[in-house]
Each structure stands twice: as structure tokens, then as C-alpha cells.
Amino acid sequence: MRLLREAYKFLVEKLDVDAVVLVDGGTDILMRGDEYGLGTPEEDMASLAAVYGLEGLAEKLVVSVGFGVDAYHGVNHSLVLENLAALEREGAYLGALSIPRDSREGALYLDAVAYAQSAVPEHPSIVNGSIAAAVRGDFGNVRFTPRTANSELFINPLMAMYFAVDLDALARRSLYLDRLEGTTLMRQISSVIEVFRGEVTKVRMPRQYPH
């Protein structure tokens, strides 16, 4: 994380940046740490901690796209909604938007995903493939790669929505982000998270979305 912050700092100063937007393909960046499942948080938390420690930026935002994708890594999305509601109470939830399929942005995104899939047909991104399928209007157990052959997907319009939150407020809600200070390697971050999880005495259990 320390080296990542230095890299961000260099870019901010070199390019005279006044805003940073972290985009997570999925929702695990929105986890506090006491949820039953955290997904795959290492890279997300490294970036969140790195940018949280930067000074002099006018805007720092986190955008989550691909609602539901992380269910296959243990994230419960009722808890994601609970976390967004808590951010709303703090004035830190900034709303949601979707990119229409026939917009220029939507068309360019679909083209980019198709190009990436053709470049690495043996290992296409499941996250981007799911989001692209949702942008196209696909629904349910959509197949776009053999990598998901043993899973039942639930492609739906929520996957194509962007949820935006204030980065600093999100970072302050994390229960372990401060422990990442001083880490350098990804395995160190994994170890920090593992130790923290072993200390959690009250886990927020998964709940079924009622509607």
C-alpha cells in the first residue's frame, strides 16, 4: 500500500490532478470488514487506503459497478445495501446512475469488453462480461465464457448501475483500513485482513434480499 500511495502521489503532482475516482468492478470495496464475507478485498482496500492518505485533492470518490457479481465470492448484497444506507445517513452516498446501451459511453464500453474478450479468449473477465451482458439487456443465467460453467449467474439491470460514494467517508467506516499502513506486498495485506478477521467477535450474517 505504501508504494501504491507514492505512485498515486506522483501522478497527482505530475498531472496536476484535482480529483481521483476509484472504480470497483463489484461491491467488495464497500465492505466494512465485519460482514460474513468480504469477497476479494486486497486490491480494493490497498487503493482505498492509498488514496485516503493523499492530501490536496478537491474530490475523492469511489464508484462501484457490477452489483451482485461478488456473490460468488461470498459477498451478501443485503449487507451492501445496508452499508450504502449508513453512508447515506452520513451524507456520503452520492447516488446511482446507469449507462444506456445506445449511449456513446455504453457502446464504447461494450466494444472495449468485446475486444478484451477476443484478445484473451481463454481467460475473459467474468466481471466485465457480466456487466456488459447487463448493459446489453441480457437477464438470468447468461453464458459468455466456459469459466462460469459450474456457476449459475444472475445477470440483471442492477449490474449495469454505478453506485457512487465519498471516498474519505467510506475509508473512515472501514474497521481495519488503518492496519494496512506500512504494508508493501499484497500478501502482507492478505495477512493483515486474515488477522483482523480472526479478531472479529460479532459477524454481520448474510440476509436474503426480501423482494
Side-chain angles (χ1 to χ4, degrees):
M1 192 282 297
R2 179 174 52 84
L3 296 178
L4 184 59
R5 180 177 293 154
E6 290 299 318
Y8 273 115
K9 182 178 179 182
F10 173 81
L11 291 173
V12 166
E13 295 175 351
K14 183 73 173 180
L15 303 175
D16 194 26
V17 171
D18 59 6
V20 171
V21 181
L22 298 183
V23 181
D24 179 23
T27 51
D28 41 16
I29 198 170
L30 301 175
M31 299 290 96
R32 278 166 40 97
D34 59 351
E35 296 85 358
Y36 180 80
L38 301 185
T40 54
E42 287 83 359
E43 292 180 359
D44 301 306
M45 293 300 109
S47 292
L48 182 62
V51 177
Y52 180 53
L54 291 179
E55 299 178 354
L57 285 170
E59 296 285 350
K60 291 187 282 185
L61 305 176
V62 167
V63 174
S64 167
V65 58
F67 186 90
V69 170
D70 294 315
Y72 307 98
H73 289 139
V75 171
N76 178 261
H77 285 76
S78 289
L79 297 180
V80 172
L81 295 174
E82 183 180 341
N83 290 349
L84 288 173
L87 288 163
E88 173 62 62
R89 292 194 296 273
E90 296 180 14
Y93 173 54
L94 306 177
L97 62 93
S98 59
I99 304 298
R101 176 174 56 88
D102 57 357
S103 68
R104 181 174 183 272
E105 294 83 359
L108 289 173
Y109 174 70
L110 292 177
D111 286 347
V113 173
Y115 176 80
Q117 289 177 337
S118 66
V120 285
E122 72 286 351
H123 201 80
S125 169
I126 294 174
V127 172
N128 280 297
S130 298
I131 297 169
V135 171
R136 289 194 301 267
D138 295 338
F139 184 82
N141 192 22
V142 177
R143 296 297 173 193
F144 51 84
T145 170
R147 294 182 64 202
T148 63
N150 296 321
S151 301
E152 183 174 351
L153 304 184
F154 183 57
I155 304 299
N156 66 86
L158 290 176
M159 286 185 173
M161 293 186 66
Y162 290 76
F163 297 86
V165 302
D166 178 80
L167 185 147
D168 286 348
L170 179 65
R172 287 192 296 267
R173 283 185 50 78
S174 173
L175 299 176
Y176 65 88
L177 203 68
D178 59 325
R179 302 190 185 197
L180 302 186
E181 292 295 328
T183 58
T184 303
L185 303 175
M186 195 62 67
R187 66 173 179 266
Q188 293 174 318
I189 295 176
S190 296
S191 296
V192 167
I193 295 174
E194 183 178 357
V195 170
F196 165 77
R197 293 286 285 175
E199 298 172 359
V200 175
T201 57
K202 187 176 181 180
V203 174
R204 292 160 61 201
M205 299 303 292
R207 299 199 302 272
Q208 184 175 359
Y209 185 67
H211 300 292

